[in-house]
Amino acid sequence: MSAGAPVARGDHGRLSLPRAGVHLIGIASLAVAQPLLDVLGRNPAFFAAHNVTRWGVVAFALVVLLAPGLILLGIEAVATLAHRRAGYVVHLVSIGGLSALFALTILRRVGWAPAPTFAVSAALGMLFAAAYARAEALRAMCSVLGLAPLVFGFLFLFTSNTSSLVTAGDPRLWDARGTSAPPIVVVSFDALPVQLLMDDHSHIDARRFPSFARFARSATWYPNATMVHENTVFSVPSILDGRVPEPGQEPTVQDHP
């Protein structure tokens, strides 16, 4: 019994690889996946602009939710093969790093200077890793946190603005049947103040902007034309479908058939 006691104390807090993976994936989903999915969930135009299909969006969500934790778990598994204690140290470093990253996503909203923000985030990450190594209750909480990817994935795929790309199906632009093919090219200079191109006589300054001036001479230019909305997400689709944008519409084929 006395000979086995040091071994038991040395193994205190160490986890099986499956449980370690659950913890890494859970904390990574808070530190990496949730902020990214929150931003892109509110901007489906990112996926529409890159022609991402329904299953592409689903695959993207799975990669963002699982890949960071699985990569760290793979590194831990390789280290464990070399030495069990080395694998445990790698696990704690990963836990601390992810915790520091999660703290950074919160502290950056406070408005501190970069140096103290990074310093406090790193300190919080180290404190969390130390507490994680000593407290079974905290490790149990991290096991429950393994459900976080399921929650974040559901919210992104079925409740966010991007969910329309998943639930409404893929855009089928190639199924369109046009009756004519007019030689028209539309070029949109987003947020370009036209006044900056003009001279004192409200003409394009040919000396400063010769290419714009040549373009205006050979094309039809409407210097007083305005858009129906100040936001690109609404103004550009209105050019294509000729309709005044409505609240809640996204720049996708589903909302602008």
Side-chain angles (χ1 to χ4, degrees):
M1 294 296 293
S2 60
V7 176
R9 287 195 296 269
D11 288 345
H12 178 70
R14 298 187 185 180
L15 310 173
S16 63
L17 280 179
R19 191 182 181 197
V22 170
H23 293 183
L24 291 172
I25 292 174
I27 299 178
S29 67
L30 281 176
V32 180
Q34 193 279 330
L36 183 58
L37 294 181
D38 178 63
V39 171
L40 294 180
R42 290 183 275 110
N43 295 277
F46 171 83
F47 297 101
H50 292 83
N51 295 322
V52 180
T53 64
R54 168 194 298 178
W55 295 112
V57 175
V58 174
F60 173 83
L62 291 176
V63 169
V64 170
L65 288 166
L66 300 178
L70 291 178
I71 291 173
L72 293 175
L73 179 63
I75 297 173
E76 178 181 341
V78 172
T80 302
L81 290 176
H83 194 281
R84 187 178 180 189
R85 183 172 180 78
Y88 184 59
V89 171
V90 170
H91 181 73
L92 290 181
V93 171
S94 300
I95 292 294
L98 291 173
S99 302
L101 184 59
F102 175 63
L104 181 62
T105 62
I106 298 176
L107 291 178
R108 66 182 180 83
R109 303 173 184 173
V110 178
W112 293 347
T117 300
F118 282 103
V120 173
S121 299
L124 291 175
M126 289 187 288
L127 288 175
F128 185 87
Y132 175 91
R134 289 169 171 78
E136 173 59 30
L138 187 56
R139 294 192 292 273
M141 291 176 57
C142 290
S143 296
V144 176
L145 192 60
L147 297 175
L150 298 177
V151 176
F152 296 147
F154 177 84
L155 294 176
F156 173 73
L157 294 175
F158 298 105
T159 66
S160 69
N161 294 340
T162 301
S163 64
S164 62
L165 300 179
V166 178
T167 58
D170 300 334
R172 302 291 182 180
L173 294 179
W174 54 86
D175 288 343
R177 295 292 183 267
T179 57
S180 63
I184 298 174
V185 176
V186 177
V187 180
S188 175
F189 296 95
D190 192 13
L192 175 65
V194 180
Q195 292 81 359
L196 297 181
L197 304 178
M198 296 181 180
D199 56 22
D200 295 338
H201 304 287
S202 297
H203 298 131
I204 293 181
D205 192 329
R207 183 175 60 85
R208 298 180 60 191
F209 307 102
S211 297
F212 275 105
R214 286 195 303 270
F215 181 66
R217 287 194 298 267
S218 60
T220 301
W221 178 42
Y222 299 93
N224 299 320
T226 58
M227 301 302 300
V228 296
H229 201 281
E230 62 180 7
N231 194 317
T232 308
V233 172
F234 299 105
S235 62
V236 173
S238 70
I239 298 175
L240 303 178
D241 64 10
R243 298 179 180 178
V244 176
E246 298 179 1
Q249 283 186 330
E250 301 295 338
T252 61
V253 174
Q254 287 84 350
D255 284 357
H256 299 275

